[in-house]
Amino acid sequence: MLQHSQNRIEEPIWLEPTELSFLQKKISETEAQVESLQSQMSEAKRAHEAQISDLMRQKDAKLVELASFRNILSPVRRIPVEILSEIFQLTCLPEDGILDSGHDIVLYTYNLSSVCAAWKKVAHATPQLWSKLCVSDRRPLKVTASIEWVEERFNRSGSLPLDVYLSLFREASAQFLGRILEYRHRIRTSDVTGYPDSYTALFNLPRSSFSRLEKVTLSIGHRDELRYHFPNKIEAFLDAPKLQHVQIRRTTSSTLLFKAYVLPMEQLATLSIASLYTIFDPAVHMDTLHACKGLVDLEINLKVYRGLTSNVSILLPALKYLKIDYWPSEEYDDLLCCLTLPLLERLRLIGRRQDIVFENVADFQRRSATSLLSLTLDLFVEDNVELFAQNLTATLGIFSNLQSLQLNRLGPDVNPLLGALTFSEGSQVLLPKLTHLGLQNRKQGTRYPSDLTSMVLSRWWPDDDERATCTGLARLQKVTLRGYCYDEEIACISELSGLEFDYM
């Protein structure tokens, strides 16, 4: 009967009751078996999926472990912590190494701390990264939103002195400044730019507020703003025992600053006054310079009132470096005419009236009798090339110990000077101790000076040559050339052994 049931039924089959009961029983048993098999299959599938899931978890864990091993073995992870810390410090500095309020050191330290847990740990353990703060309230990041991390940042710096560079122009910055001034006893460098009313909290501090302060840079206000906001003397920096460096720059009125501030001038080592809009007031600046007996570096960029003469003498017995931007004219005087600097070693003059400058330089040397080692002249323009060469040669002749001569952005032809510097047997040479010569033309692409090669070759010799003993001439060690067209002679000079040739 079963065989008949498996064939195609073309005609009705009549079953007996016993046969029908048997088939119904078989159907029930088969259905039960099917359900059992399906249940087993589901259980097997669930178990298999669980096994697969467990295996996947094990795989992921092993991949994480493998990545961790690879990170540990990566070259950067093998760098000692001390070296990595040094790299972090260099990374956070600007390319020229000079910090100011525009350098976003906050962003640099944040990025370093966000790379991975290991870098974050090293960064947080490097106090030098957090001891410098550069903030400008003119950047997109609002200063008021940054108050919270000031304490956290400075606490990470440990006990290191703090270097603070601020550019604050908004009244909303007052709260931020107040938080910084809570750490004033640790501030070493204070560089502030902005309007006087932004720094009321700073300038109203009593004396002895900055026990570790070494350098102050001020670029505050315009003309009468200081007098308006601070009618009384500002004494915040007066009793700073370590303060030695003061810089006044940009549009600040230095006359009003010196009237407003009480600074420990007698202990200063460097003083820089750079303000194109300020006029040198003898009644204020002369007293200031007279008090700076320990000054070593002095930079002045000011217009000077008519009336200064060599009869008005300022003696700076310790000064070794002087930089002056010249504004001599029928209305203004040359400050150099009243300076006496017996220990001066480096002199840099920036100006335009070479006839006045060279005359005053000669008078200055007669008063000071200095053994000048380095002279830099910038932006001297003269239509009379021959006269310029004569005056320059005569001026250089009074500095017999000069070792470095730098002529920057000059207009005249330098060949007459190079001819005077060229050594020849039996004649007296100009600047016998010269070892470094630098030439920079103000017009890019100027023709290569034809007398340069012969001058260099006359003052250079091989290492085994005894010419220095015979002539007393120092061998030229470095030549710097800027703004001139390339010439085949450059290859000849650059291949000389022992001579550093810097061409760009």
Side-chain angles (χ1 to χ4, degrees):
M1 278 188 293
L2 290 176
Q3 291 179 352
H4 287 295
S5 64
Q6 294 177 357
N7 296 328
R8 183 178 178 181
I9 302 176
E10 296 180 354
E11 297 180 0
I13 299 176
W14 301 98
L15 299 175
E16 295 292 334
T18 55
E19 293 176 335
L20 181 61
S21 175
F22 174 77
L23 288 174
Q24 289 177 344
K25 181 178 179 181
K26 282 294 184 181
I27 290 172
S28 298
E29 291 177 354
T30 304
E31 289 177 345
Q33 292 175 356
V34 170
E35 290 178 359
S36 176
L37 290 173
Q38 288 179 343
S39 176
Q40 292 179 24
M41 289 174 60
S42 298
E43 290 180 3
K45 183 178 180 180
R46 285 194 295 271
H48 181 66
E49 289 177 349
Q51 185 179 10
I52 291 176
S53 177
D54 183 60
L55 291 175
M56 291 294 294
R57 284 194 296 270
Q58 294 182 39
K59 176 186 175 183
D60 292 340
K62 292 300 180 181
L63 289 175
V64 172
E65 186 178 4
L66 181 61
S68 176
F69 291 152
R70 286 175 175 170
N71 285 338
I72 294 174
L73 294 175
S74 65
V76 70
R77 292 296 295 270
R78 294 198 295 270
I79 298 177
V81 173
E82 296 79 6
I83 302 299
L84 190 59
S85 177
E86 291 288 339
I87 294 174
F88 285 177
Q89 294 178 55
L90 293 174
T91 301
C92 289
L93 290 176
E95 291 184 3
D96 58 4
I98 301 176
L99 290 169
D100 58 33
S101 59
H103 181 64
D104 200 350
I105 196 170
V106 175
L107 179 62
Y108 282 92
T109 52
Y110 172 79
N111 289 340
L112 285 175
S113 303
S114 304
V115 173
C116 63
W119 279 31
K120 180 178 181 179
K121 183 178 180 180
V122 173
H124 285 188
T126 304
Q128 292 84 353
L129 293 179
W130 314 99
S131 64
K132 297 174 177 58
L133 179 63
C134 307
V135 172
S136 172
D137 61 6
R138 290 183 168 181
R139 285 206 297 261
L141 175 65
K142 294 182 179 179
V143 172
T144 53
S146 308
I147 295 176
E148 292 74 15
W149 49 255
V150 171
E151 181 177 359
E152 180 181 1
R153 185 178 186 88
F154 284 166
N155 287 341
R156 287 177 188 160
S157 66
S159 60
L160 290 180
L162 304 176
D163 299 319
V164 179
Y165 303 84
L166 304 176
S167 180
L168 306 180
F169 292 86
R170 302 174 182 173
E171 294 182 3
S173 304
Q175 186 180 0
F176 176 73
L177 178 64
R179 183 63 62 89
I180 293 176
L181 292 178
E182 293 177 7
Y183 297 84
R184 59 183 178 272
H185 60 285
R186 291 177 51 196
I187 294 180
R188 174 179 60 186
T189 301
S190 177
D191 187 324
V192 295
T193 301
Y195 298 139
D197 51 357
S198 301
Y199 292 96
T200 301
L202 170 63
F203 295 151
N204 283 335
L205 290 174
R207 60 175 62 190
S208 303
S209 296
F210 298 93
S211 58
R212 301 178 72 174
L213 188 65
E214 298 179 10
K215 181 178 180 180
V216 171
T217 300
L218 302 170
S219 182
I220 302 295
H222 301 272
R223 293 180 170 83
D224 293 331
E225 288 185 353
L226 276 171
R227 184 181 301 168
Y228 173 78
H229 289 281
F230 304 98
N232 301 320
K233 291 284 187 178
I234 298 172
E235 299 183 343
F237 305 119
L238 180 56
D239 290 340
K242 296 184 178 182
L243 181 59
Q244 290 190 316
H245 312 282
V246 173
Q247 182 179 21
I248 299 170
R249 66 187 182 190
R250 294 180 184 170
T251 58
T252 304
S253 171
S254 63
T255 300
L256 288 177
L257 279 175
F258 283 128
K259 287 181 178 179
Y261 288 93
V262 183
L263 296 169
M265 293 297 180
E266 66 283 350
Q267 68 187 45
L268 295 187
T270 67
L271 176 62
S272 176
I273 310 172
S275 178
L276 295 175
Y277 300 96
T278 299
I279 295 178
F280 186 97
D281 184 353
V284 176
H285 293 83
M286 295 290 284
D287 291 340
T288 298
L289 293 179
H290 273 301
C292 299
K293 296 302 182 183
L295 208 61
V296 178
D297 290 3
L298 174 62
E299 297 184 6
I300 296 182
N301 178 6
L302 298 173
K303 295 181 179 179
V304 181
Y305 276 130
R306 174 62 79 182
L308 289 180
T309 66
S310 56
N311 295 328
V312 182
S313 178
I314 302 176
L315 172 63
L316 300 177
L319 198 74
K320 293 186 177 181
Y321 172 68
L322 173 65
K323 175 186 174 183
I324 294 183
D325 284 88
Y326 274 94
W327 293 93
S329 65
E330 295 180 357
E331 183 181 358
Y332 300 110
D333 270 338
D334 173 12
L335 180 62
L336 193 63
C337 70
C338 63
L339 293 177
T340 302
L341 316 172
L343 295 184
L344 191 67
E345 296 179 353
R346 297 182 295 134
L347 176 62
R348 181 173 183 178
L349 306 177
I350 303 175
R352 303 177 187 276
R353 293 289 302 279
Q354 58 92 8
D355 54 337
I356 298 177
V357 171
F358 289 148
E359 179 181 350
N360 289 337
V361 168
D363 291 338
F364 162 77
Q365 179 60 13
R366 283 191 287 270
R367 283 194 313 275
S368 301
T370 178
S371 296
L372 198 67
L373 301 178
S374 174
L375 176 63
T376 300
L377 301 178
D378 283 336
L379 270 180
F380 282 78
V381 181
E382 183 61 43
D383 294 333
N384 192 328
V385 176
E386 184 177 352
L387 179 60
F388 175 84
Q390 291 176 358
N391 289 334
L392 179 57
T393 302
T395 301
L396 295 178
I398 66 178
F399 297 112
S400 58
N401 293 317
L402 203 66
Q403 298 176 4
S404 175
L405 176 62
Q406 185 77 31
L407 305 178
N408 295 334
R409 297 177 288 179
L410 296 178
D413 180 15
V414 296
N415 278 322
L417 173 62
L418 295 175
L421 290 172
T422 302
F423 172 74
S424 59
E425 294 289 345
S427 62
Q428 185 175 2
V429 66
L430 185 67
L431 304 182
K433 296 185 179 181
L434 187 69
T435 59
H436 177 201
L437 175 65
L439 301 175
Q440 177 186 349
N441 200 286
R442 64 189 177 94
K443 293 184 178 180
Q444 192 72 24
T446 300
R447 185 177 180 180
Y448 177 84
S450 57
D451 290 347
L452 178 60
T453 303
S454 57
M455 188 281 294
V456 172
L457 293 176
S458 74
R459 306 185 70 127
W460 173 91
W461 51 85
D463 294 333
D464 56 353
D465 198 306
E466 298 181 356
R467 196 178 314 178
T469 305
C470 301
T471 62
L473 189 68
R475 186 174 73 166
L476 201 60
Q477 298 177 7
K478 182 176 181 179
V479 174
T480 304
L481 206 60
R482 297 284 187 272
Y484 292 93
C485 293
Y486 181 81
D487 191 277
E488 294 180 356
E489 299 290 341
I490 291 179
C492 175
I493 298 176
S494 61
E495 294 176 357
L496 298 176
S497 64
L499 175 67
E500 180 182 352
F501 188 80
D502 186 2
Y503 171 77
M504 183 178 296

